Every structure is written in C-alpha cells, then in structure tokens.
C-alpha cells in the first residue's frame, strides 16, 4: 500500500472520528486556517472537536500544513549527494508537508484570553530541489520524519462562532534517512552509495530538513 493512500485514509478516518465524537458526546465541531512561520512561510488548515469529554475539558485538532523554505546549502548538497563539480548557477527551493494532531487543555491566565496548552505528534515530508543552470544537474533531497510539538494558543472571540487565534510553540523531529540522486545517508550509518568522506552529520548540516523548529501562527477558527 502506497504512502499517499495511507495518508489519505488516515486523514479521512481522523475527520470522521472527530465528527462521531462530537455527535456522541454533545461536543462542537470547528474548522479554520493559520498563517505564519514554521521553518519558513507556512499555511495550515485545521479541523477539530471541542468539549467532547465530560470529565476533562479537552479539545482535539487535526491540521494539514505546507511550508516554503530554504532547503539548504546548494554547493554542499551537490558535493555530498552527487560530485565535486562547481559549474552552473545554483537555484533551489524547498517545501515541507506537515500533518499534526493536537490535544488542547485550557489554562487560566488573566492577561491571555482563551489560553490553551497544546501538544501532540507530527509527521513531516521534506523536499529540497537543487538545480544548477548550465551545470546539467537537477535533483531532489527528500526525507520523511516523525516528531512532537508543544506550545500555547490564545483565542479571542470575534462573535459567537468566529475566533481569532494566536499561538506559538516548539517542534522536534527525529533525524531520519535523507535521499538524493542515488545516495542516501542514515543516522545509524546504514548509508547507500555515500560520497567518499561524507557522513549523515555532513548531510544533515547541509540540508534544512526539520529538527528543532519554532512555530508562530495567527489565524481563525469557525464553530460549525
């Protein structure tokens, strides 16, 4: 079964689960969007179930995000994944697809309205493209990572259904295999066709795949 099929199934099952929780426990359902910084310029769409437990005031949210970022050092990427050539004018661009699930717990802070602590797992798919105009090289460096995030979010009601969201947190993604051209580097040293003298640490230093990341977002949520 392909990763794309598994991903689509997981997202759909999660959304159905939120709806069923809301229906069964008398909770509420909401959706919205965030914009901000998450390894680069980022946009996120999210949907969640609120007040779905009677004993613990928890909320849950599923988010799908897309980030545009600098993928890393073009000269080093070429040396580590292909060869020592230096001809051509480098062009580069990078993206990260981010899937995250969070649980929210309300905090009582007088100076921050609607404050909530959030935490949950993350899944990221990084892709950095490096092209050398006139140098006959064009390749991608990719990785797939799992991680965790924690932070705080504040919501300010604009009307009974619409709320402004402002939040930030810290994300951590574990190191994983990076692949580019016909070469791959792994944290455990199980490399494939590594360039002589280069290791995973060199590749990780050259490529801006997710690691410790700062997340700063502003957006809205609309209760349905």
């Amino acid at each position: 079964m392909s990763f794309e099929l598994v991903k689509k199934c997981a997202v759909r099952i999660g959304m159905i689960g939120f709806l069923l929780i809301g229906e069964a426990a008398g909770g509420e359902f909401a959706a919205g969007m965030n914009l901000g910084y998450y390894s680069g310029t980022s946009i996120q769409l999210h949907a969640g179930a609120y007040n779905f437990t009677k004993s613990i005031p928890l909320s849950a949210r599923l988010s799908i995000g897309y980030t545009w970022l600098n993928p890393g050092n073009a000269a080093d990427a070429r040396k580590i994944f292909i060869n020592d050539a230096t001809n051509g004018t480098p062009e580069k661009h990078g993206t990260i697809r981010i899937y995250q699930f969070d649980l929210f717990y309300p905090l009582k802070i007088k100076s921050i309205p609607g404050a909530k602590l959030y935490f949950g797992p993350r899944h990221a798919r990084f892709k950095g493209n490096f092209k050398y105009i006139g140098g006959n090289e064009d390749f991608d460096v990719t990785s797939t990572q799992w991680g965790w995030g924690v932070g705080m979010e504040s919501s300010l009601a604009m009307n009974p259904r619409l709320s402004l969201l402002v939040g930030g947190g810290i994300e951590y993604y574990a190191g994983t295999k990076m692949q580019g051209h016909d070469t791959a580097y792994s944290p455990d040293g199980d490399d494939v066709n590594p360039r002589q003298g280069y290791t995973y640490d060199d590749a990780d230093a050259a490529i801006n795949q997710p690691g410790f990341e700062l997340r700063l977002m502003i957006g809205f949520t609309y209760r349905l």
Side-chain angles (χ1 to χ4, degrees):
M1 185 180 291
S2 70
F3 174 84
E4 289 298 322
L5 180 58
V6 172
K7 178 189 71 178
K8 290 179 180 178
C9 290
V11 171
R12 289 174 182 174
I13 290 172
M15 293 296 294
I16 292 171
F18 283 139
L19 286 169
L20 291 176
I21 289 172
E23 289 291 334
E28 301 172 77
F29 187 68
M33 181 178 71
N34 288 333
L35 297 171
Y37 178 85
Y38 193 157
S39 301
T41 301
S42 186
I43 181 172
Q44 291 185 325
L45 301 178
H46 55 80
Y50 297 81
N51 304 319
F52 61 83
T53 60
K54 295 180 180 179
S55 58
I56 303 175
L58 286 177
S59 301
R61 181 190 295 169
L62 179 67
S63 302
I64 301 175
Y66 200 83
T67 291
W68 295 265
L69 79 162
N70 175 2
N73 187 299
D76 289 347
R78 191 177 194 179
K79 293 178 182 179
I80 294 168
F81 287 93
I82 298 186
N83 55 45
D84 293 324
T86 58
N87 61 319
T89 302
E91 291 185 357
K92 58 184 180 179
H93 65 271
T95 60
I96 307 174
R97 284 178 287 167
I98 303 164
Y99 308 90
Q100 62 186 69
F101 177 81
D102 287 298
L103 290 175
F104 289 77
Y105 185 82
L107 301 175
K108 294 182 180 180
I109 304 176
K110 292 183 179 181
S111 58
I112 304 178
K116 292 183 177 67
L117 174 71
Y118 69 80
F119 61 93
R122 308 285 186 264
H123 181 69
R125 293 179 63 83
F126 168 87
K127 180 179 178 180
N129 177 259
F130 299 90
K131 183 182 298 184
Y132 304 84
I133 308 301
N136 196 33
E137 295 288 1
D138 185 350
F139 68 99
D140 295 330
V141 176
T142 61
S143 67
T144 300
Q145 295 170 276
W146 286 95
W148 289 89
V150 62
M152 189 172 71
E153 183 178 273
S154 172
S155 61
L156 179 63
M158 308 299 290
N159 61 47
R161 291 186 178 272
L162 182 66
S163 294
L164 176 69
L165 302 179
V166 179
I170 298 295
E171 314 279 313
Y172 170 72
Y173 290 89
T176 189
K177 179 171 68 175
M178 282 183 285
Q179 303 178 79
H181 202 251
D182 61 351
T183 297
Y185 295 92
S186 297
D188 59 6
D190 187 17
D191 303 330
V192 178
N193 296 323
R195 293 274 295 139
Q196 185 174 5
Y198 292 108
T199 67
Y200 173 83
D201 289 340
D202 299 312
D204 190 44
I207 304 299
N208 292 334
Q209 69 168 348
F212 279 104
E213 305 296 337
L214 176 65
R215 180 177 184 269
L216 298 172
M217 290 285 173
I218 184 169
F220 70 90
T221 184
Y222 185 82
R223 292 183 181 270
L224 303 177

